[in-house]
Amino acid sequence: MNRLLVIDGNSIINRAFYGVKALTTKDGQYTNAIVGFLNILARLRTMAEATHIAVAFDVHAPTFRHEMYAEYKAGRKGMPEELHQQLQPLKDILAAMGLTLVELPGYEADDILGTLATAAAGKGDMCFIATGDRDSLQLVGEGVTVLLATTKMGHPETVVMDTAAIQEKYGLTPAQLIDLKALQGDTSDNIPGVSGVGEKTALDLMQRFGSLDYIYENLDTLDIRDSLRKKLADGKESAYMSRKLGTICRTVPVDTAPESYTIAPMQEATLAGLLTRLELFKWMEKLGLTAQSAPQPVEVAPLPKGLVEGNEALAELVALALSAGHMDVLATVEGDELLSLAVTVEGRFARFDPLAPDFEAMVALLADSRVQKRTHNSKPLFSHLLGRDMTPAGFALDTQLAAYLLNPLSSDYSLPRLLTEYGIPAEEPLHGFPALADTLARQVEEQGMTALLTEVEQPLALVLASMENEGMAVDREGIATFGRELTARILTLQAEIWRQVGYEFNLNSPKQLGKALFEDMGLPAGKKTKSGYSTNAEVLEKLRAAHPVVDNLLEYRTLTKLNGTYCEGMLGLITPAGRIHSVFNQTETRTGRISSSEPNLQNIPVRSELGRQMRRFFTARPGWVLCDADYSQIELRVLAHMAQEPTMLHAFNTGEDIHRSTAAQVFGVQPEEVTPEMRSAAKAVNFGIIYGIGAHSLSEDLSISYGEAKAYIDRYLHHFGAVSAFMERLIADATDKGYGETLLHRRRPLPELKAGNAMTRHFGERVARNMPIQGTAADIIKIAMVRVYRRLQAEGLQARLILQVHDELLVEAPPAEALAVERLLVEEMEAAVALSVRLEVDVHTGETWYDAKG
């Protein structure tokens, strides 16, 4: 028996488009609907166990229904451009995957579904119709099942609709659904139905009387209200016309032979090329496609005969590199060990291992500034060289960092992925690397980011390697003791919560907690998710006043996270030397900020006193001190400069309290009359503006009414007109260019700004407002790190930069160098960039991070 899967292409691509966040290629081609469609297709093939597949699409042309009723589908909005541009690429992909596409002018996809389903059932085959349109339910019958795409509690799901399911849901047969629609009409298709007869009334009529014909043949004697009888009488002609409009045609002149829809072999080269151009590399991996199958837009020279797997050519290549003054090098580093070097110089390719007699001569070139080098993922190599007391020099290009600048939305910057992405065929990575390096360097230059790459990101890789190698001293016993104290408090809280609820349960189970709070204790329930009541922090914060158990729950969560992540988790990361070596990630965030992991030191909670106490266990090495330098309100200073807001510029340049100054402006009082509440509100608005805060969020942050919050924001924007105009300009510029941009020309693509979905578009607007500010602040702290690192080296100090957290730098130094380091930190950080306002740095010194924080 054949198993035919018939897909309503237009319906599924629409659901995919609105169900997947905006995704684009580097050049702005939208791909979210394609990705969503392919994901849905994979699930449908599995559900149907399909042996044959047909994908039906509508043709943009009038159908027989338009000839019958000119207003059919009138008023329906056209397909958004960002969806329309994905339609043909999707069709090309499906065809290359071996699937059959079916479309015919004068008919809709529904009619093609009906024709193929009826023909399949007539041959004794099984047919599965995949659609999000309930009109197709009329096709269900012996051998025909609808796989209905729907959404439940915000989550997409596919519901199997057979005759029994339709009977259970509607109390009708599939055929009766046609008459149901004739009575109630369909606003989406502009099918009129009977005026005044809605869904509930129509369903009642059909369940009681069975058919449209019976209703009209017995209209005078039906047991219904006279008012309804009149509506039915007046709407008879409309009802029968609506039935014709709503009946799916099952005789469309398309090929119905099963063999026409057999899944054909993939056209691998064509499919790989399509997916490469759309940057859908995960789908290439799922389908087993490689870059060799893709088109070759980049010219690559044939593989030279100079590729040597052994070590005999090493001395020759060292001499050639010194003579040429440049080389490309790829290092294989695992842990602290350098396993191999692959090198290309002047068209010669070779790979060497540490057993080669002249291997150290090649390694020495990595610290020789006379030889300019290009590489990929330089940080591990830099870390290895620093461990040898060698200073890397002459590194002109890191292709990983270049690719990150060109596409910060990607999640994979590995060399094989980049070779695939840029369509560069390579028998081995080093062979394709020169072409990739040339391409990326050119594109970085074209986008005005060469200085950002060569003066900020690439030097920073050396700084981060040094910081990782240095690590930070920690008090192992102090952490263990603190963990035991937290555990005792956690157990006390758990017992108290159980007492307050009335029974024992798993506090870490949202489902059990939701039942305890909202069903058993009767607290006002928040939003409900697919798995039960939401018990997230936002929900619990609103319930603080409802019952004392909520405060205990919030404290319990804070302490369990603190204990699990930063006590138990950190103890396993401490080296025998008593230090932890966090990993600093340079290519992870979309704004340019550095992140850290193993452990994530940037996430240590500092708002609570207990969280701040964790900093007591981060110490200087015995006899040394920590110097902590922190930018003061850097994002607000960046905003003042970029917006050229006179009041803010004056406040910062005269040393005024910016929040007090803002409050005085917004509330129309003298600075000395500003109350703590006024200053707090002004501070929330000052920082909120950077993040595109709305009145709703501000009202929750300040525990005030929506109206009060809106008034705060309106007054702020009125008094700070330059900020308001600047924010609008950021959105307009990003919409026009397709990306947001920092002062140093770092870009963040913003396809969301042209999305048809309002929520997606509003998200894009928020990012357009805050990315240039946050990204510029991130660029500044990176410049400061490079300057501080180089200055410490240049002055021959023993002090070392060991940590960066947000806008804060931490240097470990001997006490005799502390004053010099403090001065150095202030000078280099404040001079990182020249703005219209002074960059101000607060610096303190202490034996622990807590003490140094001041």
Side-chain angles (χ1 to χ4, degrees):
M1 181 188 295
N2 296 320
R3 299 175 68 86
L4 173 65
L5 172 62
V6 186
I7 300 173
D8 184 342
N10 290 80
S11 173
I12 299 301
I13 195 175
N14 264 282
R15 287 195 165 268
F17 176 72
Y18 290 107
V20 178
K21 67 180 182 180
L23 300 171
T24 68
T25 61
K26 291 188 296 295
D27 60 4
Q29 163 71 45
Y30 283 85
T31 58
N32 58 318
I34 297 172
V35 170
F37 192 104
L38 293 176
N39 289 335
I40 293 170
L41 172 62
R43 291 198 301 271
L44 292 172
R45 289 181 72 162
T46 301
M47 287 183 70
E49 298 178 1
T51 59
H52 299 67
I53 296 179
V55 187
F57 286 98
D58 292 330
V59 176
H60 187 62
T63 68
F64 68 90
R65 294 181 179 87
H66 292 93
E67 297 173 6
M68 186 188 309
Y69 179 53
E71 295 301 306
Y72 179 65
K73 291 193 175 181
R76 178 177 285 197
K77 291 182 180 179
M79 183 179 288
E81 172 55 31
E82 57 268 28
L83 171 55
H84 182 264
Q85 65 175 240
Q86 299 182 66
L87 193 57
Q88 190 56 51
L90 173 65
K91 291 179 179 180
D92 294 341
I93 288 170
L94 296 176
M97 289 176 71
L99 309 186
T100 303
L101 310 185
V102 193
E103 51 190 22
L104 190 66
Y107 297 93
E108 297 179 60
D110 282 351
D111 302 316
I112 297 171
L113 304 181
T115 300
L116 294 179
T118 301
K123 295 181 176 70
D125 292 333
M126 292 290 294
C127 181
F128 299 86
I129 299 173
T131 181
D133 189 347
R134 294 179 184 272
D135 290 349
S136 293
L137 296 179
Q138 64 183 265
L139 301 172
V140 169
E142 185 67 32
V144 179
T145 302
V146 167
L147 304 178
L148 188 66
T150 185
T151 303
K152 185 176 182 181
M153 303 298 291
H155 297 273
E157 65 176 28
T158 302
V159 179
V160 178
M161 298 296 291
D162 54 16
T163 302
I166 291 172
Q167 179 66 38
E168 181 180 349
K169 182 173 181 61
Y170 299 100
L172 302 174
T173 66
Q176 287 177 304
L177 295 177
I178 302 172
D179 286 0
L180 178 67
K181 188 169 187 174
L183 289 168
Q184 72 184 38
D186 185 341
T187 54
S188 66
D189 288 342
N190 202 36
I191 294 177
V194 175
S195 180
V197 173
E199 182 179 351
K200 288 181 66 176
T201 301
L203 187 58
D204 177 66
L205 289 170
M206 286 300 301
Q207 289 174 344
R208 290 170 61 195
F209 305 116
S211 73
L212 190 68
D213 290 339
Y214 183 89
I215 289 170
Y216 278 107
E217 288 169 2
N218 300 277
L219 187 58
D220 293 340
T221 60
L222 294 180
D223 181 18
I224 58 175
R225 301 185 310 275
D226 288 342
S227 59
L228 177 56
R229 196 183 323 276
K230 185 176 187 311
K231 290 176 183 177
L232 289 167
D234 293 343
K236 180 177 181 180
E237 182 178 345
S238 178
Y240 277 97
M241 180 188 69
S242 297
R243 184 163 74 173
K244 289 181 181 179
L245 292 172
T247 302
I248 292 176
C249 176
R250 303 184 186 215
T251 57
V252 175
V254 295
D255 190 350
T256 59
E259 58 270 19
S260 299
Y261 303 102
T262 301
I263 302 170
M266 286 191 301
Q267 302 169 33
E268 292 192 5
T270 301
L271 185 55
L274 291 167
L275 295 176
T276 297
R277 283 195 291 275
L278 293 169
E279 298 171 13
L280 301 181
F281 304 112
K282 287 185 179 179
W283 268 100
M284 290 184 69
E285 294 169 9
K286 288 180 182 179
L287 296 172
L289 302 173
T290 63
Q292 280 75 16
S293 306
Q296 303 180 10
V298 178
E299 289 293 326
V300 180
L303 186 64
K305 294 181 180 179
L307 180 63
V308 180
E309 292 297 332
N311 297 311
E312 53 269 24
L314 196 154
E316 181 183 344
L317 260 71
V318 169
L320 188 57
L322 284 168
S323 172
H326 63 82
M327 70 180 193
D328 292 340
V329 57
L330 297 177
T332 303
V333 180
E334 286 187 8
D336 297 330
E337 189 176 359
L338 178 61
L339 300 182
S340 70
L341 289 173
V343 179
T344 174
V345 186
E346 298 289 294
R348 295 293 305 279
F349 293 75
R351 185 183 297 107
F352 308 109
D353 61 58
L355 297 178
D358 296 311
F359 187 74
E360 291 302 318
M362 179 60 74
V363 173
L365 291 185
L366 304 179
D368 192 332
S369 60
R370 295 173 298 171
V371 179
Q372 295 295 292
K373 293 162 281 284
R374 302 188 301 185
T375 191
H376 183 84
N377 189 16
S378 57
K379 183 157 68 78
L381 177 58
F382 290 172
S383 179
H384 174 81
L385 294 174
L386 289 171
R388 289 176 168 230
D389 291 326
M390 298 173 65
T391 301
F395 282 84
L397 179 70
D398 183 329
T399 50
Q400 183 187 64
L401 296 176
Y404 169 60
L405 291 184
L406 291 169
N407 185 16
L409 305 187
S410 178
S411 59
D412 186 351
Y413 300 98
S414 64
L415 184 54
R417 168 62 59 85
L418 292 176
L419 291 171
T420 301
E421 182 173 338
Y422 285 88
I424 299 174
E427 293 183 31
E428 64 110 56
L430 181 64
H431 179 221
F433 178 77
L436 177 68
D438 291 342
T439 301
L440 294 178
R442 184 181 67 253
Q443 291 188 6
V444 167
E445 176 67 29
E446 290 169 352
Q447 295 190 20
M449 292 191 288
T450 298
L452 179 62
L453 176 63
T454 60
E455 298 173 21
V456 181
E457 293 291 354
Q458 290 179 176
L460 182 67
L462 176 59
V463 178
L464 296 180
S466 172
M467 289 166 57
E468 289 180 7
N469 283 8
E470 293 292 337
M472 190 173 187
V474 290
D475 178 358
R476 183 195 300 269
E477 186 52 42
I479 293 175
T481 301
F482 188 52
R484 290 192 291 269
E485 293 171 356
L486 289 178
T487 299
R489 175 60 180 159
I490 288 166
L491 291 174
T492 299
L493 282 169
Q494 178 178 261
E496 177 61 13
I497 292 167
W498 284 346
R499 187 193 66 77
Q500 290 170 317
V501 172
Y503 59 87
E504 296 184 6
F505 65 98
N506 182 0
L507 271 62
N508 300 314
S509 164
K511 191 169 185 178
Q512 293 183 36
L513 180 59
K515 179 180 181 298
L517 295 179
F518 304 122
E519 294 181 9
D520 300 334
M521 297 187 71
L523 298 186
K527 56 189 176 183
K528 198 171 185 180
T529 66
K530 186 178 182 180
S531 57
Y533 297 98
S534 173
T535 58
N536 63 24
E538 181 183 356
V539 170
L540 293 184
E541 283 290 344
K542 293 178 181 178
L543 292 175
R544 275 188 183 272
H547 196 284
V549 72
V550 178
D551 276 333
N552 288 333
L553 279 166
L554 288 168
E555 185 183 356
Y556 172 86
R557 284 187 175 177
T558 298
L559 298 189
T560 52
K561 180 176 181 181
L562 195 60
N563 186 45
T565 304
Y566 295 105
C567 289
E568 295 173 357
M570 202 172 293
L571 285 171
L573 297 172
I574 302 173
T575 68
R579 299 178 78 86
I580 57 168
H581 297 266
S582 187
V583 176
F584 295 96
N585 307 305
Q586 198 174 351
T587 61
E588 194 168 272
T589 70
R590 297 179 175 187
T591 59
R593 279 194 175 275
I594 301 165
S595 65
S596 71
S597 57
E598 301 178 43
N600 182 355
L601 298 178
Q602 304 197 350
N603 251 12
I604 293 178
V606 293
R607 291 187 178 182
S608 69
E609 181 56 32
L610 272 176
R612 286 192 290 272
Q613 290 296 326
M614 276 299 301
R615 292 190 174 192
R616 292 190 184 277
F617 309 118
F618 293 84
T619 70
R621 69 186 64 194
W624 285 38
V625 293
L626 298 177
C627 300
D628 182 287
D630 197 353
Y631 277 117
S632 172
Q633 301 163 333
I634 187 171
E635 290 184 347
L636 283 178
R637 293 172 192 267
V638 169
L639 172 61
H641 168 82
M642 296 181 77
Q644 286 295 293
E645 171 53 60
T647 305
M648 295 180 75
L649 293 173
H650 176 77
F652 280 126
N653 287 328
T654 57
E656 293 179 9
D657 179 338
I658 186 65
H659 303 311
R660 182 173 296 277
S661 175
T662 300
Q665 289 283 330
V666 170
F667 293 103
V669 298
Q670 293 299 313
E672 60 271 15
E673 297 174 322
V674 171
T675 65
E677 292 76 21
M678 290 178 179
R679 186 183 183 280
S680 178
K683 182 178 180 180
V685 177
N686 271 334
F687 287 114
I689 287 295
I690 296 171
Y691 293 93
I693 198 169
H696 176 73
S697 296
L698 183 62
S699 69
E700 293 189 340
D701 290 347
L702 297 178
S703 299
I704 58 178
S705 70
Y706 176 88
E708 289 176 295
K710 187 175 186 306
Y712 283 173
I713 293 174
D714 289 345
R715 288 201 296 267
Y716 179 97
L717 295 176
H718 173 73
H719 287 283
F720 296 92
V723 170
S724 180
F726 171 64
M727 292 296 178
E728 293 303 316
R729 191 163 66 249
L730 285 178
I731 294 171
D733 288 348
T735 302
D736 180 55
K737 296 176 179 178
Y739 57 85
E741 188 173 18
T742 70
L743 282 178
L744 276 73
H745 307 296
R746 181 186 303 277
R747 296 182 179 186
R748 197 261 199 215
L750 284 169
E752 296 90 348
L753 287 171
K754 294 183 180 178
N757 181 278
M759 287 185 64
T760 302
R761 196 166 57 251
H762 292 157
F763 167 79
E765 291 173 355
R766 287 197 300 275
V767 177
R769 287 193 295 263
N770 64 47
M771 180 272 169
I773 300 166
Q774 293 179 42
T776 297
D779 291 341
I780 291 172
I781 193 71
K782 286 181 172 181
I783 294 170
M785 293 171 71
V786 172
R787 292 176 66 106
V788 168
Y789 176 83
R790 287 176 171 173
R791 177 90 174 268
L792 291 170
Q793 298 285 319
E795 295 193 4
L797 298 174
Q798 296 180 65
R800 292 291 180 265
L801 179 63
I802 60 171
L803 184 64
Q804 178 269 338
V805 177
H806 304 308
D807 308 322
E808 176 183 357
L809 297 183
L810 206 61
V811 173
E812 187 178 38
E817 295 181 359
L819 288 178
V821 169
E822 285 187 358
R823 183 179 67 253
L824 178 155
L825 282 165
V826 171
E827 290 173 358
E828 296 303 329
M829 291 174 72
E830 291 188 350
V833 293
L835 302 180
S836 303
V837 295
R838 175 173 168 263
L839 288 176
E840 187 174 310
V841 174
D842 299 319
V843 61
H844 301 277
T845 295
E847 292 183 2
T848 72
W849 190 7
Y850 183 92
D851 299 328
K853 190 61 183 165

